[in-house]
Amino acid sequence: MSKLFIAGEVFHGAGSLDELKNIKGKKAVIVTGGSSMRKNGTLDKAVAYLHEAGIETQIFEGVEEDPSSATCLKGAEVMNTFQPDWIIGLGGCSAIDAAKIMWVFYEYPEVEFDALIKPFTVPVLRNKAKFIAIPSTSGTGTETTGLAVITDREKGVKYPVVSYELTPDIAIIDGEICASMPAHVTSNTGLDALTHCVEAYVSNIDNNIADALSKGGLEIVFDNLKEAVENPNNIQARQNMHDASFMAGLAFNNAWLGIVHSLSHQVGALYGIPHGASNAIFLPNVIRYNALATERYPELAKVIGRETTEELAQAIETLRSEVNNPSAIKDFGISKEDWDKNLDYIAANALADPCTGFNPRVPVLEELKAIYNACYEGAVYAEEVVAG
Ligand SMILES: [Fe+2]
């Protein structure tokens, strides 16, 4: 028996933000990021809908990219004073992920962040509040996942906090909110969604439901990402990408991810490389590396009109360049000297990352270093690199 983990209620489609009018409750804290949700009017609209529902609101603004546990503690303080019965994460995945951990700290003020790092250790939530996720980017699928990525800057480590407790009660997937998303964020997040589809499909706990969502999501990304990047006001393309991101999130919430994410978490924490951008660099080479352990890539290749594992890897490389994304880690201004100095550290952390356990091929440290080095240079990974 398997249980499907999914957001409690899912509203999707252009304009679905107005579902906030129908929420039952008394008080909501809206957690958001920099200023984009205020600037494009979404924050004001959300507040107005909640007021229409008779809900008092408080706003916690300014969640940074790659949020820290310190930010989550600050948000929890606001919640402790205001005592909301709804917490609403509105914006990019940073805002929503931070809101999830604020929620944990609000419900359990005595909990230390370090106690949450071990997978499935978040205590039972919903004693004080329930959670609504309204994403403004189309990538992480955090609106339907039990995942929140929090960064420890001192250690240079990104921690995926994993617990089905964190799966939102309500997800609102409104493509209109995405129209103001800049091109580079559209491409980075879209490539993250693509990576979720591929990693969930070949996960060692794959299942029929996640498989269908992965294939469907992959097809939508290939059909719509370039259009969403080039024509940001095409709301249909925006909604399609938003739906794909949700489908990919739902797939990986039930099949999990692999070493693309393990590798990516480290370069994100240490060098600040955007998550989707590093995923898109690692993914083709991880496909080549994993090819020895799974025969499932050609099935995915067929979804986008290709045949072989290598053709899938190359199609991803082509899409990556069509949306103007870098093909090498060194393109982010990281010197070879610095890279070599940190390689052992990031490879060891990648090996220990929770996502590594779901990869179809069990890696050893030297293999991860070889993939890292090929991707640093933007070279094609070849098995001989490790063997020889
Ligand atoms: Fe991701």
Side-chain angles (χ1 to χ4, degrees), residues 139-140 147 192-193 195-196 252 257 261 265 275-276 279:
T140 66
L147 180 66
D192 184 29
T195 306
H196 297 158
F252 91 71
L257 298 163
H261 274 75
H265 290 148
H275 176 67
N279 278 349

Side-chain angles (χ1 to χ4, degrees), residues 42-54:
T42 303
L43 186 58
D44 287 344
K45 266 194 212 169
V47 168
Y49 288 141
L50 288 163
H51 287 175
E52 215 176 310

Side-chain angles (χ1 to χ4, degrees), residues 166-179:
L166 297 174
T167 306
D169 297 283
I170 297 176
I172 296 179
I173 303 155
D174 180 349
E176 273 181 11
I177 299 172
C178 306

